[in-house]
């Protein structure tokens, strides 16, 4: 049920073909499955394992390492408040307190209506615009607690629906490589095996 | 050399000033990220100049101009390229766009505002080194950078700058966009390769093998930072002499610098290497404009979260690796975080320490356990429950991760060596020791703030509290 759709399998195969080895496509494919379901389902991980010729455990092992993959449903909007140095110096703590109060959930929680998940993030690379936050990874700069309340009200009223796509839609960015200009990656058989330049054991010992 | 002398309010965080611009010269245009604008402002001229030469001449130019790596370590790019074994194919370039060192901000701006410049720089590298394929690895949490780079790549393919027979020559290479999924440690070059191979982003042990010899898929691989590669189009267009005329002899050119924290005007600046000082950047009118609200400077972090802190005594040091290293810190990734005299130093140290504890990949025990211990003990001190014994424990836990690395009074009392930076490590990569850097800086520079925090609670040991992970669903990094 939550395996990749036919359209996404076609896309997945296109992505896989860009790499000399299939497994390299793992993270892009996990993004793709998160785009399809809003989170990475177990079935999708099994399906991805089939597509890239590794075991489901290897897919799970990779997926759980990364912060952005979710394994259970989250809100349509994930609000990530940065709490690292520059943001902390300029009031990230108050921002997080206000968010918890306004949303009625603690960090890590999702509102009862399933609309908003609150998270605290480590450095988001917008330090000169501190304190900052991201909604589905789209930035909001120099946020005051009152602006945060306004943002949450806007998310609830649905007025930002055009501007901020639902959680998991990152992979919508597609690279198009035209067939006539595509060099194509080195074939797997040329990549596998011993590095050619390494001296053979007998040469090394003589 | 272009100067604009203008501030662009829409260019978030960027202030040009009246300075030479090597990588930010197009930031003054609102459509700086489009191919039309890029071509109208000498775009792809550098690539044309490069393919008119033999590949090894291009490599000689990069070596001759001493283009230093802008990712943090400051290793010359030309020498790094030269470590690749000759005549071995396939070989790869991996562009490190996984920026997330606390305080650092430049690579995202470069990818969002001038993606073609990065693509052109990557192609010049690919031509010089005869590479089989280029992978642009962009941090997962940067959708705008991904969008702009993907669009730029699509334009560049259509216009014949990327793909087969580039600019009508025999030179052919693919540039593939790849993105991460949120893990700071992946910015380390061997972890980046692990991640690109579809695995957990855990750093590899080096030596024996550096990526230039055994990298992606076990083949020779160059891993370069976004800003490093963005320097190449300008260099190829204007030549070695123009490039080395900017900056000092050992660090030619410019570098991008983010100044954040308690300053009047936080922003990203392109500064001249070697001649600009920390005082210029923090207090200069065309830079950050001094401390906010007329407060005094307490301390600043000179090179991203993992750099030891400086105070006003070091304000007159120039931006050059050697003097900054001799003073006990590093330039790192071009990030200055400023703390004014209202800053709660133990809390600031906790914030940075928590970052590294959270981002530990878990591979090495001293980092995984040690950084978490540092965080727990610091939190107890900040919450007012710490004792004098906790201060001692901070030093002991830090010494386990980075034995004998940091000179301060406590290490002397414990009979440990006091070695200058960089530290000795018990871990594969520098994340573990980085967790102790802010703790050690804070303890050394402002011991009285810690003393005051623990004064009421005496000397006795206290039980270690069990903490709950701040993000239980967040996975292993």
């Amino acid at each position: 049920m939550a395996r990749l759709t036919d359209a996404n399998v076609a896309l997945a195969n296109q992505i896989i073909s860009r790499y000399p080895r299939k497994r390299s496509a793992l993270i892009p494919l996990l993004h793709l499955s998160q785009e399809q379901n809003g989170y990475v389902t177990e079935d999708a991980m099994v399906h991805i394992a089939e597509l890239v010729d590794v075991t489901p455990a290897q897919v799970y092992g990779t997926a759980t390492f990364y912060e952005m993959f979710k394994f259970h449903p989250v809100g349509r909007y994930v609000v990530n408040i940065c709490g690292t140095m520059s943001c902390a110096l300029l009031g990230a703590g108050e921002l997080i307190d206000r968010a918890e109060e306004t949303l009625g959930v603690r960090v890590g929680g999702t509102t009862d209506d399933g609309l908003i998940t609150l998270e605290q993030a480590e450095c988001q690379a917008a330090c000169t615009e501190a304190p900052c936050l991201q909604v589905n990874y789209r930035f909001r700069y120099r946020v005051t607690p009152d602006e945060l309340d306004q943002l949450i009200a806007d998310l609830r009223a649905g007025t930002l629906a055009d501007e901020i796509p639902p959680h998991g839609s990152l992979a919508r960015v597609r690279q198009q490589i035209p067939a006539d200009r595509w060099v194509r990656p080195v074939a797997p058989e040329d990549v596998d095996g011993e590095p050619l330049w390494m001296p053979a054991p007998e040469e090394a010992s003589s | 050399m272009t100067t604009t002398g203008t501030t662009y309010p829409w260019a978030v965080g960027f202030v040009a000033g009246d300075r030479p611009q090597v990588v930010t010269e197009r930031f003054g245009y609102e459509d700086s990220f489009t191919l039309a604008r890029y071509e109208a402002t000498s775009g792809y001229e550098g690539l044309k100049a490069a393919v008119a030469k033999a590949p090894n001449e291009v490599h000689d130019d990069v070596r001759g101009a001493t283009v230093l790596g802008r990712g943090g370590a400051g290793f010359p790019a030309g020498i790094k390229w030269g470590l690749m074994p000759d005549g071995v194919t396939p070989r790869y370039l991996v562009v490190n766009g996984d920026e997330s060192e606390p305080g650092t901000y430049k690579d995202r701006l470069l990818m969002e505002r001038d993606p073609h410049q990065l693509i052109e720089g990557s192609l010049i590298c690919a031509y010089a080194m005869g590479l089989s394929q280029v992978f642009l690895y962009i941090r997962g949490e940067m959708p705008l950078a991904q969008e702009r780079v993907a669009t730029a790549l699509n334009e560049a393919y259509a216009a014949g700058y990327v793909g087969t027979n580039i600019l009508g020559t025999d030179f052919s290479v693919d540039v593939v966009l790849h993105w991460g999924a949120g893990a700071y440690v992946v910015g380390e070059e061997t972890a980046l390769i692990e991640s690109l191979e579809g695995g957990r982003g855990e750093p590899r042990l080096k030596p024996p093998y550096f990526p230039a010899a055994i990298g992606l898929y076990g083949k020779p691989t160059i891993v370069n930072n976004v800003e490093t590669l963005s320097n190449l189009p300008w260099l190829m267009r204007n030549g070695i002499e123009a490039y080395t005329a900017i900056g000092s002899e050992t660090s030619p050119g410019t570098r991008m610098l983010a100044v954040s924290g308690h300053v009047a005007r936080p922003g990203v600046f392109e500064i001249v290497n070697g001649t600009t000082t920390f005082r210029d950047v923090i207090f200069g009118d065309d830079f950050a404009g001094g401390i906010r609200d007329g407060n005094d400077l307490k301390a600043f972090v000179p090179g991203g979260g993992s750099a030891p802190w400086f105070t006003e005594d070091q304000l007159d040091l120039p931006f050059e690796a050697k003097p900054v290293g001799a003073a006990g810190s590093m330039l790192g990734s071009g990030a200055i975080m400023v703390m004014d005299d209202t800053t709660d130093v133990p809390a600031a140290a906790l914030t940075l320490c928590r970052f590294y504890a959270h981002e530990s990949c878990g591979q090495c025990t001293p980092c995984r356990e040690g950084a978490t211990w540092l965080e727990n003990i610091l939190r107890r001190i900040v919450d007012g429950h710490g004792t004098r014994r906790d201060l001692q424990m901070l030093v002991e836990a830090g010494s386990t991760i980075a034995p004998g690395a940091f000179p301060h009074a406590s290490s002397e009392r414990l009979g440990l060596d006091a070695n200058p930076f960089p530290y000795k490590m018990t871990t594969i990569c520098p994340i573990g020791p980085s967790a102790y850097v802010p703790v050690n800086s804070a303890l050394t520079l402002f011991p009285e703030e810690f003393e005051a925090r623990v004064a009421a609670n005496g000397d006795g040991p206290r039980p270690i509290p069990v903490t709950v992970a701040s993000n239980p669903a967040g996975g292993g990094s």
Side-chain angles (χ1 to χ4, degrees), chain B residues 24-253:
Chain B
T24 61
E25 54 186 326
R26 267 170 226 96
F27 279 30
Y29 300 101
E30 203 153 347
D31 58 350
S32 60
F33 49 89
T34 61
L35 180 61
R37 173 60 65 194
Y38 194 67
E39 284 180 326
T41 49
S42 44
Y44 292 105
E45 295 288 332
L47 179 64
K48 284 173 193 158
V51 297
K53 298 181 178 187
N56 62 337
E57 288 173 351
V58 177
H59 185 187
D60 286 344
D61 282 354
V62 174
R63 216 172 353 210
T66 327
V67 179
L68 299 181
R70 261 63 163 189
F75 193 74
I79 295 178
K80 193 177 195 176
W81 296 5
L83 295 175
M84 281 189 136
D86 284 335
V88 182
T89 55
R91 43 168 69 192
Y92 303 99
L93 168 65
V94 178
V95 182
N96 188 345
D98 194 88
E99 171 183 69
S100 43
E101 176 81 1
T104 316
Y105 187 5
K106 63 198 174 63
D107 293 344
R108 183 164 71 82
L109 275 189
L110 283 172
M111 291 186 286
E112 288 178 359
R113 305 243 176 253
D114 209 344
H116 280 289
Q117 181 173 251
L118 172 63
I119 293 167
E120 189 182 353
S122 309
L123 290 169
I124 291 168
C125 173
Y127 177 73
M129 302 310 296
L131 303 176
S132 315
Q133 208 174 350
V134 177
F135 293 99
L136 272 166
Y137 192 117
I138 301 181
R139 184 177 174 189
E141 291 101 323
M142 300 177 174
L144 184 61
Q146 292 159 11
E147 239 167 72
R148 294 260 169 95
V149 173
T151 309
L153 273 172
N154 293 341
E155 287 175 330
Y157 261 109
Y161 293 119
V162 188
T164 50
N165 302 111
I166 293 166
L167 296 168
T169 65
D170 290 341
F171 170 46
S172 300
V173 73
D174 274 323
V175 181
V176 169
L177 174 65
H178 182 95
W179 54 86
Y184 163 74
V185 63
V186 167
E188 198 276 337
E189 60 180 0
T190 56
L192 191 75
I193 288 170
E194 281 288 331
S195 180
L196 188 50
E197 289 181 2
R200 300 166 68 86
E202 293 171 344
R204 295 172 180 171
L205 193 61
K206 59 173 191 177
Y209 297 117
F210 289 89
I214 299 189
L216 187 62
Y217 313 123
K219 303 296 171 189
T221 304
I222 296 170
V223 183
N224 270 164
N225 173 263
V226 168
E227 191 190 347
T228 315
L229 291 163
S230 296
N231 270 277
L232 301 185
W234 197 96
L235 168 66
M236 295 314 297
R237 216 162 61 229
N238 298 291
I240 296 183
E241 276 175 30
Y243 189 83
T244 49
I246 309 172
S248 72
E249 203 173 316
T250 47
S251 358

